[in-house]
Amino acid sequence: MKLGLQLGYWGAQPPQGVGELVAAAEESGFDAIFTAEAWGSDAFTPLAWWGRDTSRVRLGTSIVQMSGRTPTSIAMHALTLDHLSGGRVVLGMGVSGPQVVEGWYGAPFAKPLARTREVVEIIRQVLAREAPVTSAGPHHPLPYVGPGAVGLGKPLKPIVHPLRADLPIWLGAEGPKNVAQTAEIADGWIPIFYTPKSAGMYQPWLDEGFARPGARRTRADFEIAATCHLQVVSSAAEKAAVLDAMRPFVSLYMGGMGAKEANFHKEVFVRMGYGALADEVQELYLTGEKDRATALIPDELVDDMHIIGTAGEVREKVAQWEETGVSTLLLSCRSPEEVRSVAELLA
């Protein structure tokens, strides 16, 4: 089991003390640091800024939103940072959701699976640099010959020779078809709300992807990087307080993310068996009753989604996550001391 430091995306202001967190992760044996993006800070710039003082940890995005850049632009970011870091980049990508894609990027959200496949294929062409990059589309045709084209588009190869043609691409995926496609075309998977109790739900979807003709990986060399909060507590009362602190995040994703008719995060909870609860939480959340919605989230769900307990319980739960196929735990740590203590505990 490897450990990754999840730096996430920024709030209203850039976070403080991140350099110290990254240094502690590098020194303590963490495998990677990851950055994210929503509709504020981007994923690549902080990764380059904080990663410049590292020499060992992998530098990952979890996740880059595909609609925010063209596939060739994503490939340019990745190959540039891969050179600067000496081959340590993990390119994590995802389709986001319709509110962000159409509301923030001004792009159509339709056919996310086909778009994902096309983006990955184009990026792999760029990184392989075997021939000028072309794509029949329909989402990212290269060269472009559609409305407004002047007809001078030319297939190109990247000027810079990529350091690695096999730069790992991990995909964020939630539904059955998306997870299966991820197992087929990607090097790793970044699930959301993956838990030991829900792990069995995903195994047939993964197996379907691995079994497809031309699948890139097998279960043996496919990486699964699951995000959770890990915290050692000394008493039941302290654990209850931590669960309470994590509860609003669960209600936000269950009830407040996305539109009522298109909340992919909520659908994950429905598949986990919390359909009636998810409907009630969403109804309350979207009518402004966030506190009531949060109060409905049961301890057992929060406890399943995270690793919270005594030192012995934490080690036991980490082993349970590993047994389900998780190869990396992406953890949000609040201080260098916490980074070091987690590394020591799980060493």
Side-chain angles (χ1 to χ4, degrees):
M1 172 75 77
K2 296 186 286 288
L3 299 179
L5 177 63
Q6 176 59 271
L7 300 173
Y9 52 82
W10 299 359
Q13 298 294 328
Q16 301 299 309
V18 176
E20 290 79 4
L21 286 175
V22 171
E26 168 100 349
E27 295 163 2
S28 300
F30 272 57
D31 175 71
I33 62 172
F34 279 80
T35 54
E37 62 187 21
W39 50 94
S41 59
D42 77 284
F44 285 113
T45 308
L47 196 63
W49 182 261
W50 289 315
R52 77 193 190 282
D53 292 325
T54 67
S55 61
R56 186 190 56 77
V57 292
R58 292 194 288 178
L59 308 176
T61 56
S62 66
I63 57 177
V64 163
Q65 297 168 329
M66 294 181 192
S67 295
R69 307 164 185 84
T70 64
T72 48
S73 176
I74 295 173
M76 289 168 64
H77 282 289
L79 74 85
T80 302
L81 187 54
D82 205 43
H83 268 291
L84 293 174
S85 64
R88 292 187 284 138
V89 168
V90 176
L91 178 59
M93 302 187 295
V95 294
S96 190
Q99 286 189 320
V100 173
V101 171
E102 297 183 357
W104 182 249
Y105 294 121
F109 182 76
K111 299 184 178 179
L113 267 74
R115 284 192 294 111
T116 297
R117 184 178 292 271
E118 196 170 308
V119 168
V120 171
E121 287 175 351
I122 292 171
I123 291 174
R124 292 209 191 280
Q125 281 192 61
V126 174
L127 296 175
R129 202 181 181 274
E130 294 174 345
V133 178
T134 61
S135 174
H139 306 285
H140 300 283
L142 292 172
Y144 178 74
V145 294
V150 298
L152 299 178
K154 178 182 178 181
L156 301 169
K157 291 197 293 187
I159 296 172
V160 177
H161 292 231
L163 184 63
R164 294 183 295 165
D166 61 347
L167 186 155
I169 296 176
W170 296 2
L171 296 175
E174 298 181 59
K177 294 180 180 179
N178 204 352
V179 172
Q181 178 173 271
T182 296
E184 175 194 357
I185 69 173
D187 303 293
W189 174 40
I190 307 172
I192 190 169
F193 314 134
Y194 185 100
T195 76
K197 288 184 179 178
S198 67
M201 172 178 70
Y202 296 108
Q203 303 313 316
W205 310 348
L206 291 167
D207 287 338
E208 178 188 337
F210 294 136
R212 290 177 181 174
R216 183 173 172 84
R217 297 286 179 180
T218 66
R219 187 177 287 277
D221 61 359
F222 184 79
E223 298 201 57
I224 299 177
T227 298
C228 73
H229 178 73
L230 186 152
Q231 187 167 340
V232 177
V233 297
S234 58
S235 66
E238 186 180 358
K239 179 173 181 176
V242 176
L243 294 177
D244 278 340
M246 300 305 299
R247 214 181 308 274
F249 297 100
V250 182
S251 65
L252 168 63
Y253 279 87
M254 182 183 288
M257 283 287 198
K260 184 173 184 180
E261 63 276 10
N263 180 346
F264 303 121
H265 303 316
K266 179 196 170 195
E267 291 175 12
V268 176
F269 290 110
V270 172
R271 295 188 190 100
M272 291 168 66
Y274 293 95
L277 173 67
D279 287 340
E280 191 173 359
V281 168
Q282 184 183 64
E283 190 67 32
L284 289 170
Y285 210 101
L286 295 182
T287 56
E289 298 189 73
K290 298 179 182 180
D291 291 342
R292 286 185 61 195
T294 298
L296 293 177
I297 305 298
D299 284 356
E300 64 178 31
L301 174 57
V302 184
D303 195 27
D304 186 36
M305 292 173 62
H306 302 290
I307 300 175
I308 304 164
T310 64
E313 290 169 341
V314 164
R315 281 193 292 263
E316 183 179 337
K317 290 193 73 173
V318 167
Q320 292 172 359
W321 286 63
E322 187 171 18
E323 288 170 4
T324 69
V326 173
S327 56
T328 299
L329 281 178
L330 300 184
L331 307 176
S332 300
C333 296
R334 297 161 295 179
S335 69
E337 292 74 26
E338 186 176 349
V339 170
R340 287 188 281 267
S341 66
V342 167
E344 183 177 353
L345 176 68
L346 301 179

